[in-house]
Amino acid sequence: MFGFSYSRAVLESFEHPLHAGRARGDPAELIVGRAGSMKAGALVELSLRVAPGGVTEARFRAFGCPHTIAAASRVAQQIEGQPIEALEGFDIQAIADELEVPAGKLGRLLIVADALVGCLAEWRRRPPGTDTKQR
Amino acid sequence: MFGFSYSRAVLESFEHPLHAGRARGDPAELIVGRAGSMKAGALVELSLRVAPGGVTEARFRAFGCPHTIAAASRVAQQIEGQPIEALEGFDIQAIADELEVPAGKLGRLLIVADALVGCLAEWRRRPPGTDTKQR
Amino acid sequence: MRRPVYLDYAATTPIDPRVAQTMLACLMPDGTHGNPASTAHETGRAARDVVEKARAEVAALIGAVAGDIVWTSGATESDNLAILGAARQARSGHVVTGRTEHKAVLDTCRQLEREGFAVTWLMPDRHGLHGPEQLRDALRADTRLVSIMHVNNETGVIQDIAAMADICRERGILFHTDAAQSAGKLPLDVDALGVDLMSLSAHKVYGPKGAGALYVRRAARRRLEPLMFGGGQELGLRAGTLATHQIAGMGTAFALAREELAAEHERVLELRERLWSGIEPLGAVYLNGHPERRVASILNISFAAVEGESLLLSLRGLAVSTGSACNTEVAEPSYVLRALGRDDVLAESSIRFSLGRFTTADDIDFATACVRAGVEKLRALAPEGRAPDKSLKIR
Amino acid sequence: MRRPVYLDYAATTPIDPRVAQTMLACLMPDGTHGNPASTAHETGRAARDVVEKARAEVAALIGAVAGDIVWTSGATESDNLAILGAARQARSGHVVTGRTEHKAVLDTCRQLEREGFAVTWLMPDRHGLHGPEQLRDALRADTRLVSIMHVNNETGVIQDIAAMADICRERGILFHTDAAQSAGKLPLDVDALGVDLMSLSAHKVYGPKGAGALYVRRAARRRLEPLMFGGGQELGLRAGTLATHQIAGMGTAFALAREELAAEHERVLELRERLWSGIEPLGAVYLNGHPERRVASILNISFAAVEGESLLLSLRGLAVSTGSACNTEVAEPSYVLRALGRDDVLAESSIRFSLGRFTTADDIDFATACVRAGVEKLRALAPEGRAPDKSLKIR
Ligand SMILES: Cc1ncc(COP(=O)(O)O)c(C=O)c1O
Ligand SMILES: Cc1ncc(COP(=O)(O)O)c(C=O)c1O
């Protein structure tokens, strides 16, 4: 299936993905971004718990190739603990470089980035804490 | 060169050809028959010393394939000691059978037979002993 | 246990040590190193004898006369010789083949289209089978050749060759079958099957790669144009120095296949059932190909809600093939599974397990554990959880 | 001494034990048995690595880039791929070749004639050489390809490929050379020679039979149509599973040839001179081919007044080739020697002695003794005695 080999970083992340799952807590504090589809070969979900100080928990779920999984895991790791504004300038290319993602796979990384963009959009539409009553 | 193999009889005769050379003696008693050519792939010479009692010596020389050499040698062996009349009904096919000559090579055997025919013709034209003065 | 556990016998088999022994007897300094065409000397004649013995061995496995076996460099060449050879000899006309044929047949038929021939591509049913009636309907007055494989290399499905060849024989149309995947796995008899041309490969039967044969029924000999010219070897149908050690190896491989066929069938079938019964409980796994009309050695499964490339990486303790093209960075779903009606996602998340002579129960248990762990982990990671995506419906 | 003494290295060489070792490493149970196309798993990737290493080794012997080497089943296939491939891609036009080419070239060009191409057959001079001017005169506006062998397999004569390729390059005509008999015997450099296509064979260089390669200059790649289709291996130019062990063996063989070329040349040349100086005193023996422009390993001699088949039988302690076709009961004189002007009788009574890596001085002395005894005995038996037939004149 693959004429290329995986970088050590991808293999490590694939084997032991960090931050897998769904962020939990007060639904008022949770935002979720999704991008891609099974048809497209990658479906990525990022879920964040956002408190006034910033992202207190970041989790991912992914259907996709090892690069997609590794990249989604890296994104979740990196944004946890960051102020929500940091997401805006998030550098997906740095992750692509770190994971040595081959050119043919950059489209998949954009799906990961789109999930992040989805989170941002959700946050802008509905800053966490504004709908606690909905619980 | 040959997709076929040689019979034991051909190999034996090729290795140790009997009656090779030229019959010697009183030229009045000698007759020689030749047939074939180098171009045809076989050139056979039979020389006989013929005394009133019959063929007292038969020798052959040959340029040709192993079957040709073996057959010429056999002919010389068989006619030595025979009355000259015996040459007329000489059975070359029996030699072909004995040597297991393949079909593709029967033409070469006919060249051997032709040398014998040459001897007979020579004998008819000039029965040995009629021209002793010519010596 | 040797790692990775090799379950890719349909791609190629390891050489049987007894085959290696035969080959060695040619390769060693005192071996049969002559040129089989050099019959002018003993060294060449010894090589020719080796070649002719092997010819009889290969013929015996398929119920053919030794003189009807033409040596080639593999089934790819055999397929090309049969198809291009028969069509080009006829100069023009129509050819019938199927959509799930090996690329050696498909690409060759596409070449015929470029050369002006008409080609009908039969669509299989959802199990991968062609119906004889479907073939009959496809035939035309100018049909020169029908080429339908015996056993499919991805799914293991077995076509009813005898029925199809029968229809062709009635009309004097040449029938070719690619038997690369059935030799050594099913009893084969060219007369019972009624085929004119049959492609064989050594390296699917524990013989060497780069050796193959084409069975050419005597009556079909004059209806083939060679692919390669020069030297007149192999009835003028295939030029080139015969590779004595390769041919000798193929001969031994086919002789062994014949001896062990029945016993191996039982053994391998049992192992495959063991594998399937270990994997099936995962749920949302789909068998590709016909449930019964398959060779014992192949199990092709699509795993719903699991991405193909990640699945393969999870299974890196196993040497298996997937339903994706291997030679490009961008995966391409299997055209065979697509023809059976699988969508791209299920086609890409398929794994072909193919078992063989050296597969053990331990190998199978290890494989089962790998698959269960890998699939469960990936499904747990996926957004939809364990439930299969509703969009992934089987036709 | 091993009997028969093998002096037929130009027909095929025994495998060098170091080559056999490399092949064994693929053939043994723990060997590299994967399919080089199965890059989805470790077993396949290991095979691919072996194949790529060999590609570099073959390229190195001829000064080529590894990516320009296409694996084939032998020089016969390489010749066919080059010639049919280039001509058919052009669809129509003119091809030039020589009358003393190998059958793999001659018969292939004859096939082109049947397909409607025009072919010019260059006549060599009495030494077997073509002049570059002769080639220039033969070229036409629609000439697509020139195919001239580097070293002749019967006489060992070396053509001036660089001069001829030069003329073709000027005009954008593809130049192919069959180097099956020069690889490992002469320094080879595709750029210095200026060829676009070069055929190579493993089994003339102590590698396995059934393995070969075609060098395809990058710029010529698109100007070739494949012979075989399916699978897209080898840049799409040659389909079929790569035979890992065969290719590995060819790689080692070519690496060894490169290392030992200069030393072997000296050694073999000396042995050949020893053989010639033992035979020449027989008288009425004629060297076939150019006295100097020949590879060191071949000595082709016509013996006047000796019938060919009997000569060969006399020499059955030696494995040598003769100037006659091998595959029929009725001998056919060598078309190569006929093209050099030998009459049928002298062509048929020719012997090609070809020496190689394992030939010793003892072998040569034994061969000399055999030849002397055999020729003297046959000449003594012949009607004309020792004197050569007057009709046997050399042109
Ligand atoms: C059905 C089928 N046909 C043809 C081939 C090609 O055979 P080979 O590798 O001998 O060229 C294969 C295997 O790759 C195959 O499975
Ligand atoms: C000059 C030449 N070309 C081509 C060939 C054919 O090579 P192969 O035996 O590898 O097909 C040979 C040897 O037989 C040869 O000597």
Side-chain angles (χ1 to χ4, degrees), chain C residues 77-118:
Chain C
E77 183 185 335
S78 301
D79 287 344
N80 274 263
L81 173 55
I83 297 170
L84 297 177
R88 287 176 178 165
Q89 175 79 358
R91 291 181 168 270
S92 67
H94 174 241
V95 167
V96 180
T97 188
R99 282 192 192 273
T100 56
E101 293 293 311
H102 191 267
K103 289 236 164 156
V105 169
L106 289 187
D107 289 357
T108 303
C109 288
R110 261 181 226 127
Q111 169 67 11
L112 285 183
E113 284 185 330
R114 280 190 293 274
E115 294 179 17
F117 292 87

Side-chain angles (χ1 to χ4, degrees), chain B residues 1-4 6 10-11 14-17 20-21 34 38-45 60-67 69 102-105 108, chain D residues 304-314 316 322 324-331 343-345 348 377-378 380-385 389 391-392:
Chain B
M1 189 176 209
F2 30 95
F4 50 89
Y6 299 103
V10 169
L11 286 174
F14 179 78
E15 215 43 46
H16 309 288
R34 273 185 170 235
M38 285 194 160
K39 264 230 155 88
L43 175 57
V44 178
E45 176 193 277
F60 82 97
R61 296 198 305 181
F63 165 95
C65 70
H67 297 104
I69 290 171
K105 284 290 184 70
R108 301 282 170 89
Chain D
V306 180
E307 195 272 343
E309 188 182 329
S310 285
L311 176 58
L312 196 59
L313 184 59
S314 300
R316 68 187 176 290
T322 81
S324 305
C326 301
N327 41 8
T328 51
E329 294 204 358
V330 181
D343 64 36
D344 286 0
V345 180
E348 283 188 1
K377 177 177 161 190
L378 290 172
L381 264 188
E384 310 304 330
D389 187 332
S391 73
L392 298 172

Side-chain angles (χ1 to χ4, degrees), chain A residues 1-4 6 11 14-15 17 20 34 38-39 41 43 45 60-67 69 102 104-105 108, chain C residues 305-310 312-314 316 322 324-326 328-329 331 345 348 377-378 380-385 389 392:
Chain A
M1 191 173 206
F2 31 93
F4 50 89
Y6 299 102
L11 286 174
F14 179 79
E15 215 41 49
R34 274 184 170 234
M38 285 195 159
K39 265 230 154 87
L43 174 58
E45 176 193 277
F60 83 96
R61 296 197 305 182
F63 165 95
C65 71
H67 296 104
I69 291 172
K105 284 291 186 72
R108 302 282 170 89
Chain C
V306 179
E307 195 271 342
E309 187 181 331
S310 284
L312 196 59
L313 184 59
S314 300
R316 66 187 177 290
T322 82
S324 306
C326 300
T328 51
E329 295 206 354
V345 179
E348 282 188 1
K377 178 178 160 189
L378 290 173
L381 264 187
E384 310 304 329
D389 189 331
L392 298 174

Side-chain angles (χ1 to χ4, degrees), chain C residues 240-241, chain D residues 74-76 79 102 104 149 151 153 178 180-181 201 203-204:
Chain C
T241 300
Chain D
T76 297
D79 287 344
H102 191 267
M149 72 202 311
V151 165
N153 47 303
D178 178 338
Q181 294 286 350
S201 180
H203 76 98
K204 309 285 187 184

Side-chain angles (χ1 to χ4, degrees), chain C residues 74-76 79 102 149 153 178 180-181 201 203-204, chain D residues 240-241:
Chain C
T76 297
D79 287 344
H102 191 267
M149 71 202 312
N153 48 303
D178 179 336
Q181 294 285 349
S201 179
H203 76 98
K204 310 283 186 185
Chain D
T241 300

